[in-house]
Amino acid sequence: MPAITAPAHADGDFFVDYEEKVFEDIQANEGEKALITFHTVAFEGSIGLVNLLQAKRLKRKGYDTSILLYGPGVTLGIQRGFPKLGSEAFPGHLNFNNQIKGFLEEGGKVYACRFALQALYGHGEPSLIPGITPISPLDVLDLMLIHRRAGAVILDTWTL
């Protein structure tokens, strides 16, 4: 049997060079926009959290950044907590809420489709995280078209 002679990895060890950046650090030009659309269910995968982090990063790079929650994506914008709203039942339980709140605090805009909110998921506007703007289902496409017309950076988040 082969002998393992390498020392065991320990806390504080580095596995990769995390300091090297290969590409230039792009910043937004005056007036540039970004839109991140979410058609994904909260807690069903990492894409919701990853693109919330991308939205924050785009905002910090100077883009006028908006988030669109539609279809199952509205579940990211629902107030959570257990045993009461705002109470974290386990570490990470409120990660979507906290990321959205932080994004809003930094001046980002978040929109949620009223049709998906009520007809699909049985929630009303009071269920949304404060600061999220509820919109008509007819506004969902127009919000996307406004950003496309403006030449915005658009990230679409889909999972089925």
Side-chain angles (χ1 to χ4, degrees):
M1 178 177 252
I4 307 299
T5 58
H9 297 298
D11 287 348
D13 286 351
F14 295 98
F15 282 176
V16 297
D17 179 356
Y18 70 91
E19 291 180 336
E20 179 188 18
K21 186 160 180 355
V22 176
F23 301 104
E24 66 179 293
D25 185 20
I26 300 293
Q27 299 295 312
N29 293 319
E30 183 69 31
E32 283 191 301
K33 295 176 169 277
L35 173 67
I36 297 84
T37 71
F38 289 85
H39 194 276
T40 185
V41 179
F43 299 103
E44 291 297 314
S46 64
I47 193 69
L49 180 59
V50 167
N51 276 352
L52 285 171
L53 295 171
Q54 295 287 41
K56 270 185 157 176
R57 189 149 185 249
L58 283 162
K59 181 72 183 130
R60 291 173 181 169
K61 285 178 165 288
Y63 289 87
D64 177 7
T65 309
S66 298
I67 288 174
L68 169 62
L69 307 174
Y70 71 116
V74 298
T75 62
L76 284 108
I78 300 298
Q79 294 183 65
R80 289 187 168 69
F82 189 84
K84 57 186 177 180
L85 290 178
S87 296
E88 192 171 48
F90 54 86
H93 173 221
L94 299 179
N95 62 1
F96 295 112
N97 295 66
N98 293 336
Q99 290 301 321
I100 289 173
K101 287 176 184 177
F103 177 75
L104 289 165
E105 288 169 5
E106 292 185 27
K109 297 174 287 268
V110 182
Y111 302 95
C113 175
R114 286 182 168 124
F115 176 81
L117 190 64
Q118 179 181 329
L120 301 181
Y121 297 98
H123 287 281
E125 294 174 21
S127 296
L128 290 172
I129 295 167
I132 294 178
T133 303
I135 61 172
S136 163
L138 299 175
D139 284 328
V140 169
L141 179 59
D142 287 323
L143 180 62
M144 291 183 198
L145 292 173
I146 287 166
H147 281 80
R148 182 169 303 279
R149 185 173 282 170
V153 172
I154 300 175
L155 299 177
D156 291 308
T157 300
W158 277 81
T159 57
L160 302 175

